[in-house]
Amino acid sequence: MKSMGQRSGMGGAALAASQPVLAEYGYNLQAPASSVAHHVFQLHNLIMLVCLGIFVAVFSVMFYSLLKHRKSLGHRAAHFHENTAVEVVWTVIPFIILMGMAYPAARVVIDMKDTSNPDMTVKITGYQWKWSYDYLNDGIRFYSNLATPREQIDGSAAKGKHYLLEVDEPMVVPVGKRVRLLITANDVIHSWWVPALGVKQDGIPGFIRDSWFKADRIGTYRGQCAELCGKEHGFMPIVVEVVSEDAYKAWVAKKQGAAHAAAADNAKSFAVAELVERGEKVYQANCAVCHQANGMGIPGAFLPINGSKVATGPIADHIRVVLNGRPGTAMAAFASQLSDADIAAVVTYQRNAWDNKMGDAAQPAAIAAARGGTAEAAAPAAQ
Amino acid sequence: MSLAQTDKYYLPQPSLWPIVGSVALLLMAVGGAMTLREVDHGGWVLLAGVTILLFMMFGWFGEVIRDSEAGRYNKQVDSSYRWSMSWFIFSEVMFFAAFFGALFYTRVLSVPWLGEGDTMRQLWPAFQAAWPTAGPGLTADGLRFTPMGAWGIPAINTLLLLSSGVTVTWAHWGLKKNNRRQLVSGLVMTVVLGATFLGLQVYEYHHAYTELGLTLGAGVYGATFFMLTGFHGFHVLVGTTMLLVMLLRSIAGHFTPDHHFAFEAVSWYWHFVDVVWVLLFILVYWMI
Amino acid sequence: MSDAAHAPDAHGHPAPPGGIMRWLTTTNHKDIGSLYLWFALIMLFAAGSMALLIRAELFQPGLQLVRPDFFNQLTTMHGLIMIFGVIMPAFTGFANWQVPLMLGAPDMAFPRMNNWSFWLLPVAAILLMSSFLLPGGAVAGGWTMYPPLFIQGGVSYDLTILAVHIMGLSSIMGSINIITTILNMRAPGIALMKMPLFVWTWLITAYLLIATMPVLAGAVTMLLADRNFGTHFFNAAGGGDPVMFQHIFWFFGHPEVYILILPAFGIVSQIIPTFSRKPLFGYASMVYATASIAILSFTVWAHHMFAVGMPVAAQLFFMLSTMLIAVPTGVKVFNWVATMWKGSLTFETPMLFAIAFVCLFTIGGFSGLVLAVAPVDIQLQDTYYVVAHFHYVLVSGALFSIFAGIYFWLPKWTGHMYDETLGKWHFWLSVVGMNIVFFPMHFLGLAGMPRRIPDYALQFTDFNQIATVGAFVFGFSQLVFLAVVLKAIKGGAKAPARVWEGAEGLEWTVPSPAPYHTFETVPAVK
Ligand code: HEA
Ligand code: HEA
Ligand code: CUA
Ligand SMILES: [Cu+2]
């Protein structure tokens, strides 16, 4: 952390400066890593300078008057109160200045909106509270969750370097390629934002909005969800790894292998203990934010699972709630988010954890049957 | 009303009615929320609120009517009422504008978006955008409905409302000529037309729910249909009630040929409700 | 004016009922004005305490004081109450006190309805605040109430919607009253273009309110229906669109922000000429500028929605129309500076706040202009840069103008001069504190800190700490303000009818404190 003195010393200069280098001091936009971000950076500097100039001009006049035209200095009030000429001037000049600012801005808007000719397309979906990435060209699909441990947030462990800006599975893209993003959301509005890449696009449930970027430099770029989406809104970061073309190919191959392994699990049958063990992990990763680690939920907002009629009632109903969610509440449909094996595991876990002692188990095959061969069944998540 | 009063302002006494009205709205809001969330006794709280509100309206309007009949309102008060009624109707126009805006937005913009480009390909592959629609998700789930046709009850209702605009104006002419018979019979006709309209609308809703599968839940068509026609119907109900009050007051001998703003206000309101209906008829029923 | 020979006929004024009944039943514009102002002050402390809790949580990264869901409740309620419970009622309070006084009218056009407009506000406040105690807590969906998030919540969300309806009803009735008073109750001789600028700005504000509050009511009614009656206005599965809510909301929301600033312009336009001892420069162009701002304000709403992904043409349109608003606003700033130019300036507390207003509001206006530029906004939307922007226009804009107005008219209302030394303390603590809270937020936003988050990454720590310190300085200096007001009500130097040397206008011709009933017969205006 830089000392405050050093920082504030830079204040005025950094505000007005137009070199991206200065961005590192934290007084300006982040150092741009894509052409759009670069244009935005320069546009912002231009507007800031114009505003600063007008501010200085207007308020030097005012402060001059405050100093010189005081009653205590014996200044007598003049009596003019109208002058059409100056009034026209100070209407027309700002107008011209504004149009001067609007022209470069309009060009950047048009550039940002032009999503044609992509090298690859990734569909991004926001969930409460995680992101999923669907590489439409390579057939890869995965979820990306906050990786910062809860202890760091509670303050019972020291905070790491990338506190709150780290995920378990980053989005990986090759450098120098035009990546088109198809952004949507599953439950409420989220917003996919990576400042250095110059992309912020709301994900609107039920609609696809597109955007694009082309990263100039290899590196790791971090961002956050930028639309209030409920209680964990502050905890759904985005990490984009920009890598070389070769590294990207290797990553794709690895991911595709993992997807096959997950598919194989769905065909297996497990012992109760195995399911409970696996289910606990799934529960912690997907359910505990709402239903809490102790299964007690949050009164008034999230129902408890411990002692719940569903978790201690017929298993088919339980599976159905998890698969389809409860429309109109925060309880999402997990059918497309979790594989058969994971849903089987989490249901079994919920039925056997805490005071729930059902002793029964759901097998992946039962989940597949409950899906009833719907479209989602064809696309189990590769975790 | 004597001329001597016009250089003096009319100032009402302190009044208990507003605070009674506030209590009523508090109870209505709490009771309403309780009912929506299915908390016990919510309905009773709501009912208590509505009762107090009605009580307040009787009391408050009664006071205004007594002041008016006692000749306490001078020219200035009269023109204050005119300004305020105009602005009130403007606010009503904007309220309906929000719902017409929603209709426009979905019909012209968002429903077509759902049926084209990546939104359609990625999310709603089977959806064919067209109006009227219950939307891609509900349609896929098997929801079907028949839209409301224009040339049955809606057309009759249009005729009813348009003629009621004529009868209320005819009543007004009667009042200006101090022809009580014309006033009263014009008002009776208007009230009857308004009530018939409401009856037919109730029938139409019943038909929609039981036979057409057209409900509030029938996607955005059902939502805009019932919101627009429902709020309009509510306004007809309020208008008819006010006309009824005017009728009773006329029978009781209130109003003079040059002092009857209450009557005029109600007829302005009634014409406004009329115009909204014509728009509804064209945009909601006819141009499907 | 008030001749003693009043017979207690229908127009007579027996002494108002005493005690609480006086306030519950009053039809007197001065009483009602005071009620509004007290309500606003109490709400300022309530919503301000929430802000201080927000700032305390944000002092350090990590979760220390509150849980994330409670944090969102604080943010939402802070925003809702500050806007609907502080600034709007305070301005309405000013309108109640000043519009009849300035126009030579005996009272508002509809005194009973005026009472009801006020007494609906505590009802709305009860509905909003009591939800903190309900299961699930208060609303946490942001003051902007976006669905689908707003569809998810519990009973407090319904209560909030109903509270918004009731506040809307209150505002519409209040505005109809104010418009009618202005259009119909002016003393003969006060032509429209001779009205004090404060009255003009309120006339236009009331018009904006009547045009937009019903739209907000429509929007939240659709929310209520989506939540409870199975409609699909904002749900794509049923053919609706969540973004439609944003369009309707901001169609109200943007004019709303001018509702929060036009009366401030009016107050400042009364104060600056007074302490410059010089007539307002460019009266007519001030009126036209205010009207242009109001008209333009209906064409810019989607600048709050650049990140939702609109078609290019729409982005360009909304960007340009938004930028245009800088022109009439600039006219106002230039006119104020020209009014001070070659005046004979003194710096009593009202003037100090007015000067700070001009300067700091302009900073907020400029950050607004930066946000108006669509590509830049896409970077800054939903970051602390926006928070910085709107607190500059709302705190050092709207709130400071309210302070300025209170100091300006308090002697007229109470009959006593306020304590000038304490006033100056309040001013300097507020200006310094306010800048320490909100200036660093620009940097936070540029560096990438989202708004509405209870916890943040480590690189944002320094500026957040500064902001929190500033917030406590600013917050606690408002206790000084409370002290000044109470002191002036209790006693102090006797104020003359014409409190300020440079003061012009009818309100300064009646004694201080202004008698309970003024202008019962039509005053003669030359
Ligand atoms: C009092 C309230 C108020 C006022 C007056 C304004 C005034 C302006 N606002 Fe602001 N605004 C808000 C309250 C206000 N705003 C609030 C509450 C939000 C956030 C809502 C939320 O999301 O919660 C917001 C958000 C907001 C956004 C959206 C940000 C985002 O969420 O991404 C934008 C974008 O365009 C914007 C723009 C402007 C502009 C251009 C003005 C202009 O009117 C400013 C004009 C003034 C000047 C420019 C200065 C004076 C002019 C001169 C000295 C002349 C010379 C100048 C030039 C030629 C440049 N505002
Ligand atoms: C007019 C409007 C107004 C005003 C005056 C303020 C005043 C303040 N605001 Fe507010 N603010 C908003 C309108 C306003 N705000 C809005 C609309 C939002 C957006 C909400 C949303 O995102 O939905 C917002 C959001 C907002 C945030 C962002 C929260 C988030 O995104 O999570 C922050 C953070 O610092 C903040 C801080 C402050 C502070 C420190 C003050 C200070 O000025 C407050 C000063 C404090 C006091 C005046 C209180 C004094 C109290 C005491 C001294 C204690 C004594 C106690 C008793 C007597 C009981 N505000
Ligand atoms: Cu997702 Cu905020
Ligand atoms: Cu705006």
Side-chain angles (χ1 to χ4, degrees), chain A residues 50-51 54-55 58-59 90 93-95 97-98 101 200, chain C residues 83 143-144 146 249-250 253-254 256-262 265 293 300 302-307 318 322-323 325-331 333-334 358 361-373 377-378 380-383 386-387 389-391 393-394 397-398 451-452:
Chain A
V50 172
C51 288
I54 302 177
F55 189 82
V58 174
F59 289 97
W90 68 41
I93 291 187
F95 181 80
I97 297 177
L98 288 169
M101 291 170 15
K200 180 187 286 152
Chain C
I83 287 181
W143 84 278
T144 47
Y146 285 4
F249 179 86
W250 288 115
H254 190 83
E256 166 72 14
V257 309
Y258 292 109
I259 289 165
L260 298 171
I261 206 68
L262 293 185
F265 291 167
I293 293 175
V300 303
H303 65 217
H304 296 271
M305 302 165 54
F306 285 138
F318 286 110
T322 306
M323 291 173 88
I325 294 201
V327 174
T329 318
V331 167
V333 171
F334 301 140
V358 176
F361 169 79
T362 303
I363 296 184
F366 282 149
S367 57
L369 202 65
V370 171
L371 292 170
V373 176
D377 179 73
I378 287 173
L380 296 176
Q381 145 103 81
D382 252 295
T383 66
V386 179
V387 178
H389 157 65
F390 68 71
H391 283 92
V393 283
L394 285 170
R451 61 193 275 207
R452 296 166 167 175

Side-chain angles (χ1 to χ4, degrees), chain B residues 12-223:
Chain B
Q13 301 298 317
S15 169
L16 204 57
W17 297 119
I19 192 75
V20 173
S22 291
V23 172
L25 287 190
L26 181 62
L27 290 177
M28 282 169 69
V30 171
M34 285 166 77
T35 314
L36 291 176
R37 295 286 121 188
E38 287 158 16
V39 180
D40 287 348
H41 310 304
W44 291 109
V45 181
L46 182 61
L47 189 70
V50 174
T51 315
I52 299 179
L53 190 74
L54 289 176
F55 170 67
M56 173 276 242
M57 283 159 80
F58 268 104
W60 191 335
F61 289 134
E63 204 167 299
V64 171
I65 291 169
R66 276 190 300 280
D67 276 357
S68 171
E69 290 302 308
R72 276 181 213 138
Y73 291 167
N74 54 23
K75 274 264 164 358
Q76 183 178 38
V77 176
D78 192 67
S79 88
S80 283
Y81 278 127
R82 279 165 205 278
W83 277 118
S84 63
M85 192 65 197
S86 323
W87 287 104
F88 169 68
I89 289 180
F90 174 58
S91 79
E92 292 270 33
V93 169
M94 295 308 290
F95 181 72
F96 275 98
F99 295 101
F100 277 112
L103 178 66
F104 172 85
Y105 182 90
T106 46
R107 262 180 92 153
V108 178
L109 299 169
S110 69
V111 166
W113 285 336
L114 285 168
E116 68 189 31
D118 285 303
T119 299
M120 189 268 277
R121 280 193 292 277
Q122 297 287 334
L123 302 176
W124 313 108
F127 184 57
Q128 280 166 350
W131 190 268
T133 179
L138 303 188
T139 310
D141 289 348
L143 191 142
R144 298 285 175 274
F145 68 88
T146 315
M148 187 61 72
W151 298 113
I153 292 176
I156 300 174
N157 267 347
T158 309
L159 275 179
L160 292 181
L161 269 200
L162 288 180
S163 11
S164 76
V166 175
T167 52
V168 79
T169 308
W170 187 68
H172 191 200
W173 289 344
L175 177 51
K176 282 205 282 203
K177 289 183 302 201
N178 209 6
N179 180 342
R180 286 275 151 181
R181 267 185 73 95
Q182 184 175 338
L183 169 64
V184 170
S185 50
L187 276 173
V188 168
M189 284 190 274
T190 318
V191 170
V192 168
L193 287 168
T196 317
F197 176 97
L198 283 172
L200 286 177
Q201 192 168 17
V202 169
Y203 176 79
E204 179 197 71
Y205 277 15
H206 181 76
H207 174 61
Y209 261 78
T210 52
E211 285 155 52
L212 301 183
L214 175 56
T215 64
L216 264 176
V220 74
Y221 174 78

Side-chain angles (χ1 to χ4, degrees), chain C residues 430-448:
Chain C
S430 293
V431 178
V432 172
M434 183 272 160
N435 282 288
I436 302 177
V437 203
F438 298 113
F439 206 75
M441 291 186 185
H442 293 109
F443 303 133
L444 286 173
L446 287 166

Side-chain angles (χ1 to χ4, degrees), chain A residues 142-183:
Chain A
F142 59 90
Y143 288 83
S144 176
N145 289 285
L146 175 74
T148 304
R150 288 278 144 185
E151 298 78 56
Q152 290 191 14
I153 297 173
D154 294 342
S156 50
K159 298 186 174 31
K161 183 157 184 286
H162 296 299
Y163 178 68
L164 292 191
L165 296 181
E166 51 202 343
V167 296
D168 52 359
E169 295 270 359
M171 176 185 186
V172 178
V173 295
V175 69
K177 287 279 191 284
R178 234 174 117 89
V179 184
R180 178 162 177 246
L181 307 172
L182 301 182
I183 298 174

Side-chain angles (χ1 to χ4, degrees), chain B residues 61 64 73 75-93 261-262 264-266 268-269, chain C residues 108-111 113-114 117 171-185 203 206 210:
Chain B
F61 289 134
V64 171
Y73 291 167
K75 274 264 164 358
Q76 183 178 38
V77 176
D78 192 67
S79 88
S80 283
Y81 278 127
R82 279 165 205 278
W83 277 118
S84 63
M85 192 65 197
S86 323
W87 287 104
F88 169 68
I89 289 180
F90 174 58
S91 79
E92 292 270 33
V93 169
F261 182 66
E264 279 179 88
V266 173
W268 290 359
Y269 186 84
Chain C
M108 300 291 279
F110 303 104
M113 187 167 85
N114 200 19
S117 303
S171 294
I172 292 171
M173 291 194 303
S175 306
I176 290 179
N177 217 334
I178 291 171
I179 286 206
T180 307
T181 309
I182 296 174
L183 293 177
N184 197 39
M185 306 277 283
L203 178 65
I210 298 177

Side-chain angles (χ1 to χ4, degrees), chain C residues 217-230:
Chain C
V220 296
T221 304
M222 289 184 240
L223 269 186
L224 192 72
D226 269 16
R227 283 173 55 80
N228 298 299
F229 308 131

